[in-house]
Amino acid sequence: MEHGTGLIQAVIFEAADRNNIGGSAYGGQRSICCTPDLAKLEGCKQGEVIRIPSATEINWPMVLSIQFNGNDLSTQMNNAEVPIKKTGMHNLFFIACDPKLKGTVMSGRTVWKNPDGYLPGRMAPLMTFYVYMAIAYLLLSAIWFSQYMRFWEDILQLQHCIAAVIGLGLFEMILWYLDYSNFNKTGMRPVVTTAWVVTVGAIKKTLSRLLILSVSMGYGVVRPTLGGLTSKVLLIGATYFVASELLDITEHVGTINDVSGRARLFLGLPDAFLDAFLILWIFTSLSKTLEQLQAKRISVKLDIYRKFSNALAVAVIASVAWITYEIYFKATDPFNERWQSAWIITAFWDILSFALLCVICYLWAPSQSSQRYAYSEDVGEEFDDGEAQSLTRGQSNGDVSLVKQEQKNG
């Protein structure tokens, strides 16, 4: 009962030194554990991890040994503090070379702390990024709400929706910063807090997409309501919210992992499919709205929608290009050695979303002439719920026209 049996080794190494773990006998397959042949060739100890000292630090990779005693079915590793003096992506592996230990179950906790706090290096820049994004949303909200309150009597329903998205965006950025700041200071990331942040973000993303879809359909500008399409829009919104919520919870709540698992890939597919479906629906609706405005020769609205369609096209092209880059980035960096620039992958989508929101705010800014762009109140005919018929078939009682505002001469 006194002798050690069943060796488990904890190996800590920098990703750049991964080839210093393991070896190959006679040019064969690389082995992490020392085999009889490798013991003869490289002088390693059979049944242990092969460790080749780093060229820059002789004590690295670092190996800590844990053994079972006699016939004991469990053992405990003593608390160990490992100082890391070199910047890089470091990994911790628990390796059992003894085949008798196959199926061993391990439970425990590791704590990683950087010089500036507990945030992982790939996440740390995002905390600063969210500060700048919160300031950007604050400036946008100050400009928007000053006009919003100034022309309160002329505000359209569409502009109420824009105000809600701006407010949610600001709230989301502040919550992300607080979540990251707490994590950085305490090393803890409460599940409830992070879940709340993720939920606000999912609501904001959903409302942003529904806002773009509604604008593309002409809501508040060409038509007073979405009519029979309201239920379909709400259904796609609810579905997108659920998909986005599940994906973000898997990504952020209760785990900090540099390696994307199968669950994230699986949950990412519905999210990507719904995004593609929404893009198709948006551009189809936008095309019909442009056709309607052009046929009616409503030049003011047509000019606004052309600018909006150009901005959307640029956003879609940028999204496709960035997705291609993201796939390339992850495919060519399996060991996360470019962790210092990984935060840009996440930041891009927030920047793109904010830029598109700024375009919408610019095109539909509150003003004393806001109601000129509203759907005429004396129109009796509404659009077909299914939008199957061409929107250009005009009838005298169904014409769309600008509502003229009376000049106030004091």
Side-chain angles (χ1 to χ4, degrees), residues 323-334:
I323 290 172
T324 304
Y325 171 73
E326 186 175 343
I327 293 172
Y328 166 79
F329 184 91
K330 293 181 178 180
T332 56
D333 187 32

Side-chain angles (χ1 to χ4, degrees), residues 5-39:
T5 59
L7 176 67
I8 293 178
Q9 292 177 296
V11 185
I12 307 169
F13 62 95
E14 188 189 355
D17 294 332
R18 57 186 175 275
N19 291 328
N20 291 55
I21 302 294
S24 177
Y26 311 111
Q29 186 176 359
R30 190 174 183 82
S31 173
I32 294 177
C33 297
C34 185
T35 62
D37 289 336
L38 285 169

Side-chain angles (χ1 to χ4, degrees), residues 52-339:
I52 304 171
S54 172
T56 56
E57 180 59 54
I58 194 170
N59 294 324
W60 284 83
M62 188 170 289
V63 178
L64 305 176
S65 297
I66 311 102
Q67 287 187 321
F68 289 85
N69 290 321
N71 296 323
D72 287 353
L73 296 179
S74 64
T75 188
Q76 184 172 343
M77 178 183 181
N78 295 327
N79 289 336
E81 184 173 319
V82 180
I84 297 175
K85 300 178 180 179
K86 184 179 179 182
T87 298
M89 174 62 72
H90 290 79
N91 299 272
L92 169 61
F93 285 2
F94 286 88
I95 302 172
C97 292
D98 189 343
K100 290 184 294 184
L101 295 180
K102 184 178 180 181
T104 300
V105 177
M106 183 193 74
S107 63
R109 181 168 177 259
T110 64
V111 179
W112 300 74
K113 186 176 183 181
N114 290 310
D116 296 327
Y118 289 99
L119 268 179
R122 64 183 176 84
M123 296 172 66
L126 284 172
M127 188 168 69
T128 304
F129 169 74
Y130 288 131
V131 172
Y132 286 113
M133 285 302 300
I135 293 173
Y137 270 101
L138 189 61
L139 292 175
L140 179 62
S141 62
I143 296 170
W144 177 267
F145 283 104
S146 64
Q147 294 293 97
Y148 188 79
M149 298 305 297
R150 183 182 175 188
F151 303 108
W152 174 256
E153 295 182 354
D154 295 312
I155 294 297
L156 303 174
Q157 287 296 326
L158 176 63
Q159 290 164 335
H160 290 310
C161 297
I162 295 173
V165 173
I166 294 174
L168 276 172
L170 175 60
F171 190 41
E172 180 193 12
M173 294 301 109
I174 293 174
L175 286 179
W176 275 121
Y177 170 75
L178 294 175
D179 180 50
Y180 276 42
S181 178
N182 177 70
F183 184 15
N184 194 48
K185 290 177 181 178
T186 65
M188 304 292 291
R189 201 177 188 191
V191 171
V192 175
T193 303
T194 309
W196 171 245
V197 179
V198 164
T199 301
V200 172
I203 293 172
K204 181 250 182 178
K205 283 195 294 185
T206 302
L207 289 182
S208 297
R209 282 156 178 75
L210 294 186
L211 173 64
I212 295 173
L213 178 59
S214 299
V215 169
S216 300
M217 290 177 170
Y219 172 66
V221 178
V222 176
R223 59 198 305 170
T225 67
L226 295 178
L229 289 173
T230 302
S231 58
K232 296 179 182 178
V233 171
L234 292 177
L235 178 61
I236 190 68
T239 306
Y240 185 86
F241 169 76
V242 172
S244 180
E245 177 82 348
L246 290 176
L247 177 62
D248 289 344
I249 283 178
T250 305
E251 183 74 24
H252 297 285
V253 178
T255 181
I256 300 297
N257 195 346
D258 292 306
V259 182
S260 296
R262 292 182 180 178
R264 297 180 193 180
L265 177 62
F266 177 76
L267 292 171
L269 289 176
D271 196 67
F273 172 78
L274 288 170
D275 265 328
F277 178 78
L278 278 168
I279 289 172
L280 181 61
W281 195 1
I282 285 168
F283 276 98
T284 301
S285 301
L286 191 57
S287 176
K288 292 179 179 179
T289 303
L290 286 169
E291 180 186 353
Q292 164 75 3
L293 294 174
Q294 191 169 11
K296 297 294 182 181
R297 298 180 181 178
I298 308 175
S299 59
V300 177
K301 295 181 182 179
L302 183 60
D303 182 58
I304 291 175
Y305 268 85
R306 279 177 175 168
K307 291 177 181 178
F308 178 62
S309 61
N310 290 338
L312 270 184
V314 171
V316 170
I317 293 172
S319 298
V320 172
W322 193 256
I323 290 172
T324 304
Y325 171 73
E326 186 175 343
I327 293 172
Y328 166 79
F329 184 91
K330 293 181 178 180
T332 56
D333 187 32
F335 300 100
N336 295 292
E337 293 178 275
R338 296 202 293 268
W339 56 272

Side-chain angles (χ1 to χ4, degrees), residues 291-293 295-298 375 379 381-383 389-400:
E291 180 186 353
Q292 164 75 3
L293 294 174
K296 297 294 182 181
R297 298 180 181 178
I298 308 175
Y375 188 82
V379 174
E381 180 186 357
E382 291 192 6
F383 293 90
Q389 297 182 1
S390 173
L391 297 178
T392 61
R393 294 178 185 174
Q395 294 180 3
S396 59
N397 63 342
D399 194 11
V400 180

